[in-house]
Amino acid sequence: MNRVKQVVMLHLRNKNTWFMVPWAILGANFLINALIALSLNNGETINTGAVASIFVYAFVAGTLTIKETFPFAIGLSIRRKDYFLGTALTVLLVNSISGIALTILSAIEQATDGWNVNLHLFKIGFLSNLPYIGILGFNILLLVHCFFLGFAISSLHRRFGSMSMYIFFTATLLIGTIGSYTMTHFELWSDFGHWVADNYMDLFWYMIPLVVIYSLISYGLLRKAAV
C-alpha cells in the first residue's frame, strides 16, 4: 500500500497535467463563448460543445502518463502492479473532483439561465432529464473512460513500440473511413443521432465494462513492457 501511495503522490506532484491545464483550456473556452454571447445580446440561446475539451484532454492525459511517469516509477523499484493501481487510484480521485466541479457548474448555469447571457456550455442537453447525481456519475465515468482509452493505447505503444501505433491507427482510420462512408451513403447520421439521444443511458452503462477492458489490457501490456 505504501508503494501505491507513493505512485499517487508521484502523479499528483504534476499539478499542471492533472488540474491546471485541462481547467485552463475549459476556462478559456468558457470566457470566449461568454464574450460572444454577451456581444450578441439578442436573447438567443447559445449551445456550445466546448465542455468536450476536458473529456478530450482526459484522453490525451491518458496517452502521456506512461511516458512521463512509468520509467521513473520503475527506476524507484516500484512494482508494475503498484504503478498500475496507484495510477488507477489517481485517475479516480482527480476525475471525481473534476466530475463534481462540472456538475456544480452545470447547476449554476441552469440556475442563472445560462450565466445571464443564455450560454449553455456545461449543461449537456440530452442529460437534462437526469438528476444531478446521475449527471455527476456520467461526468466521472466519461472522464475515466476517456483516460483509460488513452492509457490502453499508450500501453500498447510501450509494449510493442512505434510499429504497433502505425498498425493501430491505420486500422482505426480504415474502419472509421468505411463507417463514415456507409453512414453518409445511406443517410444514417440523423438516425444515429436520435438513437444516441434516446439510448444514452445504455451507452452510459456500456462504458463500465469498457473501462474494465481497457484496464485489463493496460495492466497486461505493462507487465511485459520495456522501461
Side-chain angles (χ1 to χ4, degrees):
M1 182 58 67
N2 288 335
R3 289 295 190 181
V4 173
K5 181 179 178 180
Q6 188 176 357
V7 174
V8 173
M9 298 307 296
L10 171 65
H11 284 304
L12 293 182
R13 286 178 59 188
N14 190 351
K15 293 180 176 59
N16 286 337
T17 297
W18 292 98
F19 294 106
M20 301 299 292
V21 173
W23 283 98
I25 294 172
L26 188 56
N29 280 327
F30 172 74
L31 181 60
I32 292 171
N33 282 282
L35 290 174
I36 292 173
L38 186 62
S39 64
L40 293 176
N41 195 27
N42 58 5
E44 181 181 352
T45 299
I46 298 178
N47 295 295
T48 170
V51 71
S53 62
I54 197 167
F55 299 104
V56 173
Y57 182 85
F59 169 80
V60 174
T63 65
L64 297 176
T65 296
I66 292 177
K67 178 179 179 295
E68 294 180 348
T69 60
F70 182 69
F72 184 72
I74 299 302
L76 295 176
S77 300
I78 294 174
R79 295 184 305 171
R80 294 162 193 256
K81 177 181 178 181
D82 293 333
Y83 173 80
F84 177 81
L85 291 175
T87 301
L89 185 58
T90 306
V91 172
L92 291 175
L93 173 63
V94 171
N95 288 303
S96 292
I97 295 172
S98 295
I100 291 170
L102 288 172
T103 305
I104 291 173
L105 289 169
S106 175
I108 295 173
E109 184 172 274
Q110 183 171 350
T112 59
D113 194 21
W115 310 98
N116 294 319
V117 290
N118 294 316
L119 171 65
H120 292 167
L121 188 147
F122 297 100
K123 180 182 177 182
I124 301 175
F126 62 84
L127 299 180
S128 57
N129 293 328
L130 287 181
Y132 284 113
I133 188 65
I135 296 174
L136 172 62
F138 181 88
N139 286 331
I140 294 174
L141 185 54
L142 184 55
L143 286 166
V144 171
H145 173 271
C146 291
F147 181 94
F148 273 108
L149 175 58
F151 195 76
I153 294 173
S154 183
S155 300
L156 180 65
H157 176 265
R158 176 63 62 172
R159 175 66 179 89
F160 295 109
S162 299
M163 184 54 66
S164 65
M165 291 293 95
Y166 292 127
I167 296 173
F168 174 81
F169 284 112
T170 299
T172 301
L173 180 62
L174 181 61
I175 294 171
T177 301
I178 294 173
S180 179
Y181 173 79
T182 302
M183 296 289 285
T184 301
H185 180 74
F186 292 102
E187 300 181 349
L188 298 175
W189 285 113
S190 178
D191 292 337
F192 177 73
H194 289 304
W195 180 84
V196 171
D198 294 337
N199 298 276
Y200 63 88
M201 284 307 299
D202 292 333
L203 297 175
F204 173 83
W205 293 116
Y206 291 156
M207 282 193 290
I208 296 176
L210 284 175
V211 169
V212 174
I213 292 171
Y214 300 152
S215 300
L216 293 175
I217 290 173
S218 301
Y219 178 63
L221 291 171
L222 288 178
R223 286 187 61 190
K224 303 293 185 180
V227 177

